[in-house]
Amino acid sequence: MRVPLSWLREYVDLPATETGRDVQAKLISAGLEVETVEHLGADLKGPLVVGQVLTIEELEGFKKPIRFCTVDVGQANGTGEPQEIVCGARNFSVGDKVVVVLPGATLPGGFSISARKTYGKVSHGMICSSGELGMGDDGTHGIIVLPPETEVGKDAVELLELVDEVLDIAVTANRGDCLSIRGVARETAIAYGLPLRDPALLDVPGPNAFGYPVKVSDPAGCDRFTARTVTGLSPEARSPIWLQRRLQKVGMRPISLAVDVTNYVMMELGQPLHAYDRHQVQGTIGVRRAQEGEKIVTLDGVERKLHAEDLVITDDRGPIGLAGVMGGADTEIADHDPAEEGAAATTDVIIEAAHFDQVSVARTARRHKLSSEASRRFERGVDPQAASAAAQRTVDLLVLLAGGTAEAGVTEVIAPSAPHTITLAADHPDKVAGVTYGRETVVRRLQEVGCDVYGQDELIVTVPSWRPDLTDPNDLAEEVIRLEGYENLPSTLPRPPAGRGLTGRQRLHRRIGRALAGAGYVEALNYPFVSEQVFDQLGLEADDPARRVVKLVNPLSDEEPALRTSLLPGLLAALRRNDGRGSHDLALFETGLVFQPRDAARVAANLPVDRRPSPDDIAALNAALPDQPRHVAVVLAGAREQAGWWGKGRPADWADAVEAARTVAREAGAELGIRKGQYGPWHPGRCAELTVTVDGAERVVGHAGELHPRVLKTLGLPARACAMELDLDVLEQVGDTVPQAPSISTFPVATQDVALVVDAYVPASDVEAALREGAGELLESIRLFDVYENAEQLGEGRKSLAYALRFRADDRTLTVDEASAAREAAVALATDRTGAVLRG
């Protein structure tokens, strides 16, 4: 919200010496986030005056139209003679009043003006556009043409209000009242302890039977609708300079008088309004929910298909506006354009000032991807009591500026409602802040906000209509605390109990992160939001548990409304993004929570803020949350080992993904089972199923391997990309995190190699398990060092697996016979279980 200091001073008598920086400091102390203070016209130096065009000579022979003008600037040039100026703009004529900058002046941006020869003529100054003066967009994209009654020679800096300070405030979602000059002025008045001249305090006539007919069919969506009619607007009437300048300063573009007035009142009072061309409205104005499939062409010229939840404004033909979002093109205000023959300007208007349900407006705006100044305010909360005052203010300005006549009819459709009251213990803000404010301070601060307060130890607080965000005692406590000054709260460092550092779980997660980083992986943190379409892209079955998601009621993006059940979507998106930017050799990892809905949904209770929640409170809160196990995942693409003078390098493959799983398991102290598997996005022939034993039963905790080519193509990923994902919580459950010192023996090792021929479909892990069990206690380690396939030597569908077996005893040097016996026992069990045959 942009707030000109000159406009703010109309409602608060700030000291003349106060600058925008001073006001910024006060508002920040009161809890508003004032991002910047813009100094308009800070580097602007005159003379800048009003001139009248006397003659225009068209210069020929140039690539673009050039005009040589003489302009009367009165005595501003010291001689009274016409000023000769060269100009390329075409939107002004002889007799027009324009803004002229004379030699010696400096325009915004440090652009100095002097007499100079151009296009064969000497130009003594410039005829200015709004952009050249730093005024913003005025819609003309040309020279500023002033009203005919403007005095020649008048100081244009003062006339156009070019020097001002504008506060840019980042309004939070709960402070819709500060999306108006009125709301910011109220905060400024409180901060300075000054009275507020409320612009909404107007004499408003009561409703009568002569107003324009309105029917509200959905009181829940629209609890207040005010309609006023103004007739006889002058088609030639234009927005005065002061009105245009104020709109430009707050960041809006002047359009036409009727539209500018509604925008002006919206920025002033915070109440969005809409003006309808009365002659284009047919029959009763209605407010209802749209019928599924209805269509409307909005003011931006787009035809929109309506949803059954959309709240719409209608007449006898159907929808003529999206309530609280944007009006329809059928009833648009038509501006007078002398160049357009047969175009009738709007002379009679119906003013709509209504209060719509903020959730309904927010969903409609998001559904149609149509954010507007009106929807932005309704989403955050608008003062329902300001509707009639805003309509009256609009009527008054149209009568004053366009010569219109206010009809006597006043329509007000109001759904009955009671003021919101909150019971507050007088010492509740003290408990929340840890500071003793006292009852008098609490009552005074709440009254400054606009609350009515009654009671002694227990206060009955009636919330003002412009603060719908005040709903419970903690909100009221926050108002007292912020107005007393956050900077006055004592800073107390917490004292943790001695001997407590990171939990075992935290230490494990950090060790895993360090281990993966040491293996060459880079950590990538991703948002936990996903689209449900990603499960189709990953090739998950229709009944896959990963498809059961927790959906957000108010997601940041409608395209990603669900919480992730896997880390892979975010990591694969990061892989695609980095590969698209030229980084092709990638190894990324992430540890994070995934979210799994519970079978029975529960509603979480609001925890107290004036004391530490009890263990039962925390347990009840956790029970209402979805299950949130922590996973770890990696993705790889490109080269795993770079090529160089040392060799050719090596591309990443499925074995690297499996090794990442082994690295994680080692850090967790868990024994990881690895066998052939098939799941979702992984290639069915290059996927490992990762298992652990929990309470005597084998449990699948993840998968690793190469991704399916179809998934790679769908997601736009590099060829042969690999991935791994593991459930860290289960690994932690079965793991032994007690550090194990390496065993160092004084006795030598006996090494025996064995090559076994098995059927190609037999997993190497099964052969290894049989060898390990058959070798007995003397076996220290086993390693697969060669896989060989040759149909001519081994037979069709056969493969050779070569293992290195290391034997060692703790109390003696093994003999050759002992080592050979252990080897033969291992081979015998492998032969019995897997059908293995010694090669050779």
Side-chain angles (χ1 to χ4, degrees):
M1 175 69 192
R2 291 171 56 84
V3 180
L5 191 59
S6 59
W7 199 349
L8 198 61
R9 289 182 182 275
E10 282 198 8
Y11 309 128
V12 184
D13 289 327
L14 294 172
T17 56
E18 288 294 284
T19 66
R21 294 291 185 189
D22 299 327
V23 177
Q24 178 189 30
K26 285 284 189 179
L27 292 180
I28 289 176
S29 178
L32 294 185
E33 186 179 346
V34 185
E35 294 187 324
T36 60
V37 177
E38 183 179 353
H39 296 267
L40 302 181
D43 51 355
L44 176 65
K45 297 180 182 179
L48 189 72
V49 298
V50 175
Q52 184 173 22
V53 180
L54 301 178
T55 64
I56 297 177
E57 177 188 350
E58 302 288 347
L59 301 181
E60 305 293 338
F62 299 102
K63 293 182 179 179
K64 61 179 182 178
I66 298 297
R67 311 168 97 185
F68 181 65
C69 311
T70 58
V71 184
D72 178 13
V73 295
Q75 297 299 318
N77 58 4
T79 64
E81 296 295 324
Q83 201 78 2
E84 297 180 338
I85 299 174
V86 175
C87 183
R90 313 290 297 176
N91 67 314
F92 64 96
S93 307
V94 172
D96 283 345
K97 302 290 180 63
V98 295
V99 178
V100 178
V101 56
L102 300 177
T106 302
L107 294 182
F111 183 60
S112 299
I113 303 300
S114 60
R116 64 189 185 94
K117 188 173 183 180
T118 179
Y119 296 103
K121 300 285 187 178
V122 177
S123 181
H124 299 272
M126 283 177 54
I127 302 175
C128 296
S129 67
S130 60
E132 291 165 338
L133 297 179
M135 294 170 56
D137 185 12
D138 63 355
T140 64
H141 304 291
I143 294 303
I144 301 172
V145 178
L146 300 172
E149 64 273 13
T150 310
E151 179 185 350
V152 172
K154 183 179 179 63
D155 183 3
V157 174
E158 178 183 352
L159 175 70
L160 300 177
E161 301 178 14
L162 296 178
V163 178
D164 202 350
E165 292 182 275
V166 179
L167 286 72
D168 193 351
I169 303 175
V171 179
T172 55
N174 65 317
R175 293 303 305 272
D177 60 304
C178 288
L179 286 174
S180 66
I181 303 297
R182 177 196 184 199
V184 176
R186 182 181 294 108
E187 291 295 316
T188 305
I190 295 172
Y192 278 91
L194 297 171
L196 169 70
R197 288 188 293 274
D198 192 342
L201 295 179
L202 301 174
D203 291 330
V204 179
N208 54 53
F210 308 106
Y212 197 90
V214 174
K215 179 181 179 182
V216 178
S217 302
D218 190 340
C222 175
D223 58 10
R224 182 180 292 263
F225 195 106
T226 301
R228 300 288 299 276
T229 304
V230 181
T231 59
L233 301 181
S234 171
E236 288 80 20
R238 293 290 176 268
S239 300
I241 293 174
W242 65 266
L243 179 60
Q244 295 186 44
R245 288 295 295 132
R246 286 195 169 176
L247 289 177
Q248 289 173 331
K249 288 177 184 179
V250 298
M252 302 191 76
R253 180 172 64 86
I255 298 174
S256 64
L257 179 57
V259 176
D260 291 349
V261 166
T262 58
N263 286 336
Y264 176 84
V265 175
M266 175 179 67
M267 303 306 295
E268 182 181 54
L269 302 182
Q271 168 66 53
L273 301 110
H274 190 68
Y276 301 94
D277 188 328
R278 181 175 180 177
H279 298 294
Q280 301 299 325
V281 178
Q282 299 179 13
T284 300
I285 292 178
V287 183
R288 62 169 171 83
R289 298 289 172 177
Q291 298 174 9
E292 191 69 39
E294 276 188 308
K295 295 181 179 180
I296 183 176
V297 179
T298 46
L299 288 174
D300 56 358
V302 177
E303 182 180 76
R304 303 182 185 276
K305 187 176 181 180
L306 301 178
H307 188 274
E309 292 184 2
D310 291 335
L311 192 67
V312 293
I313 311 297
T314 65
D315 65 4
D316 291 350
R317 296 168 296 177
I320 59 173
L322 282 173
V325 181
M326 185 174 286
D330 290 343
T331 57
E332 182 179 6
I333 298 294
D335 195 15
H336 173 68
D337 187 355
E340 189 174 346
E341 296 183 3
T346 298
T347 57
D348 302 338
V349 297
I350 301 171
I351 305 300
E352 166 210 303
H355 184 260
F356 301 111
D357 176 60
Q358 58 191 94
V359 174
S360 176
V361 172
R363 289 179 175 173
T364 296
R366 183 167 293 179
R367 187 179 297 118
H368 295 282
K369 296 180 175 58
L370 187 61
S371 180
S372 64
E373 290 289 345
S375 68
R376 186 168 169 238
R377 283 161 176 79
F378 278 122
E379 289 173 12
R380 288 161 174 78
V382 168
D383 181 5
Q385 302 293 335
S388 56
Q392 182 63 46
R393 177 75 165 133
T394 304
V395 168
D396 292 343
L397 287 172
L398 288 177
V399 170
L400 174 67
L401 302 177
T405 301
E407 289 196 351
V410 177
T411 302
E412 279 197 8
V413 180
I414 303 175
S417 62
H420 180 56
T421 59
I422 302 172
T423 301
L424 173 75
D427 61 348
H428 183 68
D430 301 2
K431 293 180 179 179
V432 173
V435 176
T436 302
Y437 293 122
R439 179 188 176 280
E440 291 186 2
T441 298
V442 172
V443 171
R444 175 172 57 85
R445 287 302 190 183
L446 293 179
Q447 288 175 339
E448 288 177 346
V449 172
C451 299
D452 292 328
V453 186
Y454 303 95
Q456 291 299 319
D457 293 338
E458 188 172 80
L459 306 177
I460 306 300
V461 182
T462 302
V463 175
S465 58
W466 57 81
R467 291 298 302 275
D469 58 305
L470 303 181
T471 60
D472 58 55
N474 294 326
D475 294 329
L476 299 179
E478 182 182 3
E479 292 300 298
V480 175
I481 295 168
R482 75 175 180 88
L483 294 178
E484 284 296 304
Y486 291 120
E487 67 276 10
N488 296 322
L489 293 177
S491 299
T492 305
L493 293 176
R495 295 183 178 180
R500 292 188 186 178
L502 298 176
T503 65
R505 188 183 192 207
Q506 290 171 328
R507 288 195 294 270
L508 172 61
H509 297 161
R510 294 195 180 189
R511 286 204 312 274
I512 288 171
R514 286 194 294 267
L516 290 175
Y521 290 85
V522 176
E523 187 171 17
L525 300 178
N526 299 288
Y527 287 115
F529 312 117
V530 295
S531 161
E532 291 186 89
Q533 285 72 31
V534 76
F535 302 125
D536 296 326
Q537 297 170 338
L538 292 177
L540 300 187
E541 298 292 338
D543 58 349
D544 194 297
R547 285 184 175 269
R548 293 186 62 236
V549 295
V550 177
K551 289 189 177 180
L552 300 174
V553 175
N554 188 25
L556 292 177
S557 169
D558 289 335
E559 296 179 357
E560 295 180 331
L563 292 174
R564 66 189 179 190
T565 56
S566 166
L567 300 182
L568 288 185
L571 274 179
L572 293 176
L575 182 72
R576 179 179 62 247
R577 187 163 52 250
N578 283 275
D579 181 72
R581 295 174 180 174
S583 298
H584 304 302
D585 303 326
L586 296 163
L588 308 177
F589 84 94
E590 180 178 11
T591 62
L593 301 178
V594 298
F595 305 86
Q596 299 166 351
R598 298 180 188 267
D599 294 332
R602 300 183 184 179
V603 178
N606 289 327
L607 297 183
V609 297
D610 58 346
R611 60 181 173 82
R612 178 182 174 82
S614 67
D616 291 341
D617 291 334
I618 296 175
L621 179 63
N622 289 332
L625 298 175
D627 289 326
Q628 301 177 54
R630 183 172 289 271
H631 283 200
V632 59
V634 305
V635 293
L636 304 104
R640 186 68 178 126
E641 296 177 3
Q642 295 291 336
W645 57 266
W646 53 85
K648 296 182 179 179
R650 180 179 65 81
D653 61 16
W654 62 268
D656 294 300
V658 173
E659 182 57 30
R662 288 196 179 101
T663 300
V664 172
R666 280 194 297 270
E667 292 297 328
E671 186 174 343
L672 193 66
I674 300 173
R675 66 188 182 201
K676 181 180 180 181
Q678 181 173 345
Y679 177 71
W682 280 276
H683 193 297
R686 297 166 188 166
C687 173
E689 191 172 73
L690 310 174
T691 65
V692 295
T693 301
V694 182
D695 297 330
E698 192 174 59
R699 179 172 171 181
V700 177
V701 292
H703 295 83
E706 186 177 316
L707 295 174
H708 198 289
R710 183 171 57 249
V711 173
L712 298 178
K713 182 178 180 181
T714 302
L715 294 177
L717 298 171
R720 309 301 291 269
C722 302
M724 178 278 293
E725 184 166 12
L726 272 174
D727 189 329
L728 265 184
D729 285 356
V730 178
L731 285 183
E732 180 185 5
Q733 178 184 347
V734 302
D736 182 5
T737 57
V738 177
Q740 298 293 327
S743 177
I744 302 176
S745 175
T746 59
F747 298 99
V749 66
T751 303
Q752 296 271 354
D753 292 346
V754 59
L756 301 176
V757 178
V758 296
D759 292 332
Y761 63 82
V762 175
S765 59
D766 291 353
V767 178
E768 180 178 324
L771 290 172
R772 187 182 298 277
E773 183 178 345
E777 296 180 354
L778 294 179
L779 181 67
E780 181 180 80
S781 67
I782 180 171
R783 180 174 61 88
L784 174 67
F785 67 85
D786 184 55
V787 178
Y788 178 70
E789 294 182 11
N790 188 308
E792 294 182 2
Q793 297 183 16
L794 304 177
E796 192 69 33
R798 304 280 282 176
K799 64 182 177 183
S800 171
L801 303 175
Y803 293 89
L805 308 178
R806 290 168 57 92
F807 299 97
R808 196 194 312 257
D810 294 334
D811 57 351
R812 66 188 186 282
T813 299
L814 292 177
T815 65
V816 174
D817 291 340
E818 287 177 309
S820 297
R823 171 182 177 274
E824 290 170 2
V827 171
L829 187 58
T831 300
D832 182 57
R833 287 189 178 177
T834 65
V837 177
L838 273 173
R839 182 180 170 190

